[in-house]
Amino acid sequence: MNLYFELLKKPIFKIEDVNQYYNNMNSARSAVKRLMRDGMALKIRNNMYTCISGETGQPVANRFQIASNITPSSYVSHHTAMEYYGITDQVYYDVYVSSETSFRDFEFDGYSYHYVSSKNSEGIDQPAFSGGIAVTNLERTLVDSVKDMDKIAGIEEVVQDIESIHRMQEKRLLKYLELYQNQFLYQKMGFLLAGNKEKLGLSDQFFDTCKSQIGKSKRYLTKDMEKGQYNDEWKLVIPADIFNMKNGVNAYARI
């Protein structure tokens, strides 16, 4: 039995996985230390390891697989999920990980992994043949990104992501919006998606539902703005330069 080749079958392994070949935890720990000493494995964080590829010299586990294995309930979310779906046009080195169990932020292989408290377990997919990745589906990803826009992504990135999405499942969007029960979220979603209504395949009923939930509250779309203009339809003060954001000109000019 060659331990390295056995562990290559798992993008990520723990001491317990190694122990199945030894039935002795001390021997298992020693075996992992030897692999690390010989440059055949790396420690990601406490009791979380990955092999080094003999072909590329790089860790076998990618950032999405790592994020999905930090805790039993962890999954890829927010703009990291957008990256997984190929929505964003650049690579970010901050990896956002939602989990029911908290963990300390950490760095590995040039990426910083950040904990986000998971509020619900709806809309999480485990794609086949992905090596154990758990990731929010596209609709849940968009709702989360808009909800936490000022904490994580920022208005410009969210606008760009929306412009890059070609189709949404309306029922899913409404389901996740209802789960959060957040008036401001309905407000933001309605405004941000209205300019791409046809492309996203959203009905008038979707926007009527959003409007029915926002009440009379007037809010700033984002804290990240210096000058704003009022949009009476959605009762939002929006950045004056939102029309000039990359890829957002045509869509928002129609609002």
Side-chain angles (χ1 to χ4, degrees):
M1 185 272 297
N2 186 307
L3 180 62
Y4 172 74
F5 287 110
E6 291 297 322
L7 294 176
L8 274 177
K9 300 173 184 178
K10 294 175 174 287
I12 291 165
F13 63 90
K14 298 182 178 182
I15 296 296
E16 290 79 4
D17 298 315
V18 179
N19 192 44
Q20 66 178 308
Y21 303 106
Y22 292 90
N23 199 29
N24 182 297
M25 290 297 286
N26 288 330
S27 297
R29 292 189 183 95
S30 296
V32 172
K33 287 180 180 178
R34 286 195 296 272
L35 288 174
M36 293 172 61
R37 182 195 62 201
D38 295 339
M40 303 172 76
L42 283 174
K43 182 177 180 178
I44 299 171
R45 66 192 299 266
N46 187 39
N47 199 21
M48 191 174 181
Y49 304 86
T50 186
C51 288
I52 297 295
S53 169
E55 296 179 358
T56 67
Q58 299 298 313
V60 169
N62 60 44
R63 62 190 184 281
F64 307 114
Q65 292 167 331
I66 292 172
S68 303
N69 285 275
I70 295 171
T71 74
S73 63
S74 66
Y75 54 92
V76 179
S77 65
H78 295 80
H79 84 197
T80 310
M82 289 291 186
E83 285 186 78
Y84 178 79
Y85 291 118
I87 300 300
T88 58
D89 59 1
Q90 58 182 309
V91 175
Y92 296 89
Y93 292 94
D94 291 301
V95 179
Y96 287 92
V97 187
S98 291
S99 173
E100 295 174 8
T101 306
S102 64
F103 63 86
R104 289 184 179 180
D105 291 0
F106 66 95
E107 295 185 4
F108 176 75
D109 196 35
Y111 292 96
S112 298
Y113 293 79
H114 302 284
Y115 163 71
V116 181
S117 177
S118 175
K119 302 302 182 183
N120 65 77
S121 58
E122 296 287 337
I124 303 170
D125 290 343
Q126 294 180 314
F129 311 112
S130 66
I133 291 173
V135 57
T136 50
N137 63 36
L138 193 53
E139 289 78 11
R140 167 78 190 273
T141 300
L142 179 59
V143 171
D144 286 348
S145 295
V146 173
K147 180 177 70 72
D148 297 324
M149 188 166 62
D150 283 335
K151 299 177 182 178
I152 296 177
I155 178 65
E156 184 173 355
E157 183 184 322
V158 170
V159 168
Q160 292 176 24
D161 288 345
I162 291 171
E163 283 294 308
S164 298
I165 297 171
H166 297 292
R167 203 74 179 174
M168 293 260 93
Q169 292 192 33
E170 184 172 308
K171 289 183 179 179
R172 283 185 177 181
L173 286 175
L174 290 171
K175 176 183 179 180
Y176 305 139
L177 284 168
E178 185 177 359
L179 283 172
Y180 283 123
Q181 289 291 303
N182 185 313
Q183 286 186 340
F184 188 26
L185 181 55
Y186 279 103
Q187 227 169 339
K188 290 190 288 186
M189 286 291 288
F191 171 76
L192 289 169
L193 300 189
N196 290 277
K197 172 184 169 183
E198 289 78 16
K199 179 169 69 76
L200 295 174
L202 300 176
S203 69
D204 290 335
Q205 184 178 357
F206 172 82
F207 295 97
D208 289 342
T209 300
C210 288
K211 289 176 183 177
S212 72
Q213 297 296 320
I214 64 177
K216 298 180 180 180
S217 298
K218 299 177 181 179
R219 299 180 173 91
Y220 286 89
L221 175 62
T222 175
K223 297 176 182 178
D224 187 22
M225 56 187 290
E226 296 180 358
K227 297 180 180 179
Q229 55 192 55
Y230 183 65
N231 181 287
D232 186 58
E233 181 180 9
W234 293 101
K235 297 181 175 60
L236 286 170
V237 179
I238 62 175
D241 61 348
I242 193 171
F243 305 111
N244 299 317
M245 289 181 179
K246 180 183 176 184
N247 298 329
V249 178
N250 294 334
Y252 291 92
R254 296 194 297 271
I255 299 175

